[in-house]
Coordinates of all heavy atoms in Angstrom, one line a residue:
G1 N 26.7 12.9 13.9 CA 26.2 14.2 14.6 C 25.9 13.8 16.0 O 26.6 13.1 16.8
N2 N 24.7 14.2 16.5 CA 24.3 13.9 17.8 C 23.2 12.7 17.8 O 22.6 12.4 18.7 CB 23.6 15.2 18.4 CG 22.3 15.5 17.7 OD1 22.1 15.1 16.6 ND2 21.5 16.2 18.4
L3 N 23.2 11.9 16.8 CA 22.2 10.8 16.7 C 23.1 9.5 16.8 O 24.1 9.4 16.3 CB 21.5 10.8 15.5 CG 20.6 12.1 15.2 CD1 19.8 11.8 14.0 CD2 19.5 12.2 16.2
V4 N 22.5 8.5 17.3 CA 23.0 7.1 17.2 C 22.6 6.6 15.9 O 21.3 6.6 15.7 CB 22.4 6.2 18.4 CG1 22.9 4.9 18.3 CG2 22.7 6.8 19.8
F5 N 23.5 6.1 15.2 CA 23.2 5.5 13.9 C 23.1 4.1 14.1 O 24.0 3.4 14.3 CB 24.4 5.9 12.8 CG 24.2 5.3 11.5 CD1 22.9 5.5 10.9 CD2 25.1 4.7 10.9 CE1 22.7 4.9 9.6 CE2 25.0 4.2 9.6 CZ 23.7 4.3 9.0
T6 N 21.8 3.6 13.9 CA 21.6 2.2 14.3 C 20.9 1.5 13.0 O 19.6 1.2 13.2 CB 20.6 2.2 15.5 OG1 19.4 3.0 15.3 CG2 21.4 2.6 16.8
P7 N 21.5 1.3 12.0 CA 21.0 0.7 11.0 C 20.5 -0.8 11.3 O 21.3 -1.5 11.9 CB 21.9 0.6 9.8 CG 23.2 0.8 10.5 CD 23.0 1.6 11.7
G8 N 19.3 -1.3 10.9 CA 18.9 -2.6 11.2 C 18.7 -3.0 12.6 O 18.9 -4.1 13.2
T9 N 18.0 -2.0 13.4 CA 17.8 -2.3 14.8 C 16.3 -2.2 14.9 O 15.7 -1.5 15.7 CB 18.4 -1.1 15.7 OG1 17.9 0.2 15.2 CG2 19.9 -1.2 15.7
G10 N 15.7 -3.1 14.3 CA 14.3 -3.3 14.4 C 13.7 -3.7 15.7 O 12.5 -3.5 15.9
E11 N 14.7 -4.2 16.6 CA 14.1 -4.7 17.9 C 13.8 -3.5 18.9 O 12.9 -3.5 19.6 CB 15.3 -5.5 18.6 CG 15.6 -6.7 18.0 CD 16.8 -7.4 18.6 OE1 16.6 -7.9 19.7 OE2 17.8 -7.4 18.1
D12 N 14.5 -2.3 18.7 CA 14.5 -1.3 19.7 C 14.2 0.0 19.0 O 14.2 1.1 19.8 CB 15.6 -1.3 20.6 CG 16.9 -1.1 19.8 OD1 16.8 -1.0 18.6 OD2 17.9 -1.1 20.5
A13 N 13.9 0.1 17.8 CA 13.6 1.5 17.2 C 12.6 1.4 16.1 O 12.1 0.2 15.7 CB 14.9 1.8 16.3
N14 N 11.9 2.6 15.8 CA 10.7 2.5 14.8 C 11.5 2.4 13.6 O 12.3 3.3 13.2 CB 10.0 3.9 15.0 CG 9.2 3.8 16.2 OD1 9.1 2.6 16.8 ND2 8.9 5.0 16.7
V15 N 11.3 1.4 12.7 CA 12.0 1.3 11.4 C 10.8 1.3 10.4 O 9.7 0.8 10.5 CB 12.8 0.1 11.3 CG1 14.0 0.0 12.3 CG2 12.0 -1.2 11.6
L16 N 11.3 1.7 9.1 CA 10.4 1.9 8.0 C 11.1 1.6 6.7 O 12.2 2.0 6.5 CB 9.9 3.3 8.0 CG 9.0 3.8 7.0 CD1 7.5 3.2 7.2 CD2 8.8 5.3 6.9
R17 N 10.5 0.9 5.8 CA 10.8 0.8 4.5 C 9.9 1.4 3.5 O 8.7 1.1 3.5 CB 11.0 -0.8 4.1 CG 11.3 -1.1 2.7 CD 11.8 -2.4 2.4 NE 13.0 -2.7 2.9 CZ 13.8 -3.8 2.7 NH1 13.1 -4.7 2.0 NH2 14.9 -3.8 3.1
I18 N 10.4 2.3 2.7 CA 9.7 2.7 1.5 C 10.0 1.9 0.3 O 11.1 1.8 -0.3 CB 10.1 4.2 1.3 CG1 10.0 5.0 2.6 CG2 9.3 4.8 0.2 CD1 10.6 6.3 2.4
T19 N 8.9 1.1 -0.2 CA 9.1 0.1 -1.1 C 9.1 0.7 -2.6 O 9.0 1.9 -2.7 CB 8.0 -0.9 -1.0 OG1 6.7 -0.4 -1.3 CG2 7.8 -1.5 0.3
P20 N 9.4 -0.2 -3.6 CA 9.6 0.3 -5.0 C 8.4 1.2 -5.5 O 7.2 0.9 -5.0 CB 9.7 -0.9 -5.9 CG 10.3 -1.9 -4.8 CD 9.7 -1.6 -3.5
D21 N 8.6 2.2 -6.3 CA 7.6 3.0 -6.9 C 6.7 3.7 -5.8 O 5.4 3.7 -6.0 CB 6.6 2.2 -7.9 CG 7.4 1.7 -9.1 OD1 8.2 2.5 -9.6 OD2 7.4 0.4 -9.5
S22 N 7.3 4.3 -4.8 CA 6.6 4.9 -3.8 C 7.0 6.4 -3.6 O 8.2 6.8 -3.9 CB 6.8 4.2 -2.5 OG 6.3 2.9 -2.6
I23 N 6.1 7.1 -3.0 CA 6.4 8.7 -2.6 C 5.9 8.7 -1.2 O 4.7 8.5 -0.9 CB 5.8 9.6 -3.5 CG1 6.2 9.4 -5.0 CG2 6.0 11.0 -3.1 CD1 5.6 10.3 -5.9
L24 N 6.8 9.0 -0.3 CA 6.4 9.3 1.1 C 6.8 10.7 1.6 O 8.0 11.1 1.4 CB 7.0 8.3 2.0 CG 6.7 8.4 3.5 CD1 5.2 7.9 3.7 CD2 7.6 7.5 4.4
S25 N 5.9 11.4 2.1 CA 6.3 12.6 2.8 C 6.4 12.5 4.3 O 5.5 12.0 4.8 CB 5.2 13.7 2.5 OG 5.4 15.0 3.2
I26 N 7.5 12.9 4.9 CA 7.7 12.9 6.3 C 7.2 14.2 6.8 O 7.8 15.2 6.6 CB 9.1 12.6 6.7 CG1 9.6 11.3 6.2 CG2 9.2 12.7 8.2 CD1 11.1 11.0 6.5
D27 N 6.0 14.3 7.3 CA 5.4 15.6 7.6 C 5.8 16.2 9.0 O 6.0 17.4 9.2 CB 3.9 15.6 7.5 CG 3.5 15.6 6.1 OD1 4.3 15.8 5.1 OD2 2.2 15.2 5.8
K28 N 5.9 15.2 9.9 CA 6.2 15.7 11.3 C 7.0 14.7 12.1 O 6.6 13.4 12.0 CB 4.9 16.0 12.0 CG 5.1 16.7 13.4 CD 3.7 17.1 13.9 CE 3.8 17.9 15.1 NZ 2.4 18.4 15.7
L29 N 8.1 15.0 12.7 CA 8.8 14.1 13.7 C 9.2 14.8 14.8 O 10.2 15.7 14.9 CB 10.1 13.6 13.0 CG 10.0 12.5 11.8 CD1 11.3 12.2 11.2 CD2 9.4 11.2 12.4
M30 N 8.4 14.8 15.9 CA 8.7 15.6 17.0 C 8.9 14.7 18.3 O 8.2 13.6 18.4 CB 7.5 16.5 17.4 CG 7.1 17.5 16.3 SD 8.5 18.7 16.1 CE 8.5 19.5 17.7
V31 N 9.8 15.0 19.2 CA 10.2 14.3 20.3 C 10.3 15.1 21.5 O 10.9 16.2 21.5 CB 11.6 13.5 20.2 CG1 11.9 12.8 21.4 CG2 11.6 12.6 19.0
E32 N 9.5 14.7 22.6 CA 9.4 15.6 23.7 C 9.9 14.8 25.0 O 9.3 13.7 25.2 CB 7.9 16.0 23.9 CG 7.9 17.0 25.2 CD 6.5 17.5 25.6 OE1 5.6 17.1 24.6 OE2 6.2 18.0 26.6
E33 N 10.8 15.4 25.7 CA 11.3 14.7 26.9 C 10.5 15.2 28.0 O 10.6 16.6 28.3 CB 12.8 15.0 27.2 CG 13.7 14.4 26.1 CD 13.9 13.0 26.2 OE1 13.6 12.5 27.2 OE2 14.6 12.5 25.3
T34 N 9.8 14.5 28.7 CA 8.9 15.0 29.8 C 9.4 14.8 31.1 O 8.9 15.1 32.1 CB 7.4 14.3 29.8 OG1 7.7 12.8 30.0 CG2 6.8 14.4 28.5
G35 N 10.7 14.0 31.2 CA 11.2 13.7 32.5 C 11.0 12.3 32.8 O 11.7 11.6 33.2
A36 N 9.7 12.0 32.8 CA 9.1 10.5 33.2 C 9.1 9.7 32.0 O 9.2 8.5 32.0 CB 7.9 10.7 33.8
D37 N 8.9 10.3 30.8 CA 8.7 9.6 29.6 C 9.3 10.4 28.4 O 9.6 11.5 28.5 CB 7.2 9.2 29.4 CG 6.9 7.9 28.8 OD1 7.9 7.5 28.1 OD2 5.8 7.3 29.0
V38 N 9.2 9.7 27.3 CA 9.4 10.3 26.0 C 8.1 10.2 25.1 O 7.6 9.2 25.0 CB 10.5 9.6 25.2 CG1 10.9 10.3 23.9 CG2 12.0 9.6 26.0
V39 N 7.8 11.5 24.6 CA 6.5 11.5 23.9 C 6.8 11.9 22.5 O 7.5 12.9 22.3 CB 5.5 12.5 24.4 CG1 4.3 12.7 23.6 CG2 5.1 12.2 25.9
S40 N 6.5 11.1 21.5 CA 6.8 11.4 20.1 C 5.6 11.5 19.4 O 4.5 11.0 19.6 CB 7.5 10.2 19.5 OG 6.9 9.0 19.7
D41 N 5.7 12.3 18.2 CA 4.7 12.6 17.4 C 5.2 12.5 15.9 O 5.9 13.2 15.4 CB 4.1 14.0 17.5 CG 2.8 14.3 16.7 OD1 2.4 13.5 15.8 OD2 2.3 15.3 16.8
T42 N 4.8 11.4 15.3 CA 5.2 11.0 13.9 C 4.1 11.1 12.9 O 3.1 10.3 13.1 CB 5.8 9.6 13.9 OG1 6.9 9.5 14.7 CG2 6.3 9.3 12.5
Q43 N 4.2 11.8 11.9 CA 3.1 11.9 11.0 C 3.7 11.8 9.5 O 4.6 12.6 9.2 CB 2.3 13.2 11.1 CG 1.6 13.5 12.3 CD 0.9 14.8 12.6 OE1 0.7 15.3 11.5 NE2 0.6 15.0 13.9
L44 N 3.1 10.7 8.8 CA 3.6 10.4 7.5 C 2.6 10.6 6.5 O 1.4 10.3 6.8 CB 4.2 9.1 7.4 CG 5.3 8.7 8.5 CD1 5.6 7.2 8.5 CD2 6.5 9.6 8.3
D45 N 2.9 10.9 5.3 CA 1.8 11.0 4.2 C 2.3 10.2 3.0 O 3.3 10.6 2.3 CB 1.7 12.6 3.9 CG 0.7 12.7 2.7 OD1 -0.1 12.0 2.3 OD2 0.6 14.0 2.2
L46 N 1.5 9.1 2.9 CA 1.9 8.2 1.7 C 1.2 8.7 0.5 O 0.0 8.5 0.4 CB 1.5 6.6 2.1 CG 1.8 5.6 1.2 CD1 3.4 5.5 0.8 CD2 1.3 4.2 1.6
R47 N 1.9 9.1 -0.5 CA 1.3 9.6 -1.7 C 1.2 8.6 -2.9 O 0.3 8.8 -3.8 CB 2.1 11.0 -2.1 CG 2.1 11.9 -1.1 CD 2.9 13.2 -1.5 NE 2.8 14.1 -0.4 CZ 3.3 15.4 -0.6 NH1 3.9 15.8 -1.7 NH2 3.3 16.3 0.4
A48 N 2.1 7.6 -2.9 CA 2.2 6.6 -3.8 C 2.9 5.4 -3.3 O 3.7 5.5 -2.4 CB 2.8 7.1 -5.2

């Protein structure tokens, strides 16, 4: 789509592993282009 698919790019991307027997809710993933910077808002809910 319009995304760069970058599996295994731990050097330059926020990466996350959901380990065995886990439940994670991705509640918010917002990205704002301010012109001078990129402001992101990531909110996760680890339920198990």
Side-chain angles (χ1 to χ4, degrees):
N2 65 338
L3 296 181
V4 175
F5 181 44
T6 54
T9 51
E11 298 175 73
D12 57 0
N14 294 339
V15 292
L16 179 72
R17 169 165 290 186
I18 305 170
T19 66
D21 293 315
S22 298
I23 301 174
L24 179 73
S25 174
I26 302 174
D27 289 343
K28 192 173 185 180
L29 286 174
M30 298 296 295
V31 179
E32 179 185 351
E33 299 282 351
T34 66
D37 212 339
V38 177
V39 178
S40 61
D41 187 354
T42 301
Q43 297 181 18
L44 309 174
D45 180 3
L46 182 58
R47 301 181 182 181

